[in-house]
Amino acid sequence: MDKDKFFMLEALKEAKKAFDIDEVPVGCVLVHGNRIIARAHNQVEKLTDATAHGEMICLTSGSAHFNDWRLKDTILYTTLEPCIMCSGAIINARVKKVVWAAKDLRVGANGSFIDVFEKKHPIHEVEIESGVLEEISSNLLREFFQKARKSKLNK
């Protein structure tokens, strides 16, 4: 199995954890030197915090790992295209590369809604790879929102 699929499967495990606690199923892992140094999933509802996206929590954990806000030579694997907030944090943290699975048509910041990565940044550029295990991630998201809609109808 190729490296990107291997690490995306790990991010999908995190997304499933979010799904199981009724959070939008987004999961992430941060990799350095082919080793996972941080992992996280969405906790917006649990923490009642709009900034508690999996990517943000993962970046914070990665910074703690290095005891540095600069996450040089790291790769962030995330099951959903990063939003504007997370994309800004990714750039500021100096993440080398982002690999994401499914498009986010509502707030995706790598072209689905807006593309913050297209403009050349004066200090740091992020490599992007998209669509890795997209179908698996999309199916999990679809199942989550179908379940959420049914739950609302039954109230």
Side-chain angles (χ1 to χ4, degrees):
M1 172 184 300
D2 89 11
K3 180 177 75 163
D4 287 339
K5 287 181 181 175
F6 174 83
F7 288 120
M8 188 61 74
L9 284 171
E10 291 298 312
L12 283 160
K13 289 177 186 175
E14 289 296 316
K16 181 67 168 84
K17 289 178 187 177
F19 182 94
D20 291 343
I21 60 170
D22 293 326
E23 293 278 355
V24 175
V26 177
C28 308
V29 295
L30 187 65
V31 174
H32 182 259
N34 287 322
R35 213 176 98 238
I36 295 173
I37 61 165
R39 52 175 66 236
H41 55 273
N42 274 7
Q43 296 184 51
V44 172
E45 300 298 333
K46 179 181 178 183
L47 300 176
T48 60
D49 179 357
T51 69
H53 289 193
E55 297 95 331
M56 299 296 283
I57 296 167
C58 202
L59 294 175
T60 298
S61 295
S63 293
H65 173 83
F66 287 121
N67 196 29
D68 190 348
W69 59 269
R70 292 171 195 87
L71 300 175
K72 294 180 181 177
D73 299 319
T74 60
I75 302 172
L76 180 70
Y77 291 84
T78 181
T79 59
L80 187 65
E81 177 183 2
C83 73
I84 299 163
M85 171 184 66
C86 294
S87 296
I90 287 163
I91 292 168
N92 284 328
R94 311 295 196 269
V95 171
K96 179 181 180 180
K97 182 177 181 179
V98 174
V99 180
W100 56 266
K103 291 179 182 179
D104 186 345
L105 300 176
R106 295 175 315 110
V107 293
N110 187 215
S112 294
F113 172 67
I114 193 169
D115 194 347
V116 301
F117 297 104
E118 75 178 341
K119 185 171 170 77
K120 185 167 173 50
H121 190 270
I123 297 170
H124 180 69
E125 287 186 57
V126 179
E127 297 172 42
I128 304 284
E129 184 167 341
S130 61
V132 174
L133 300 181
E134 179 177 8
E135 190 173 337
I136 297 170
S137 181
S138 294
N139 288 341
L140 185 62
L141 287 157
R142 193 174 304 108
E143 182 182 347
F144 173 82
F145 286 111
Q146 286 172 349
K147 181 177 128 183
R149 280 191 292 279
K150 281 182 188 174
S151 176
K152 271 189 177 179
L153 290 174
N154 292 332
K155 285 186 178 182

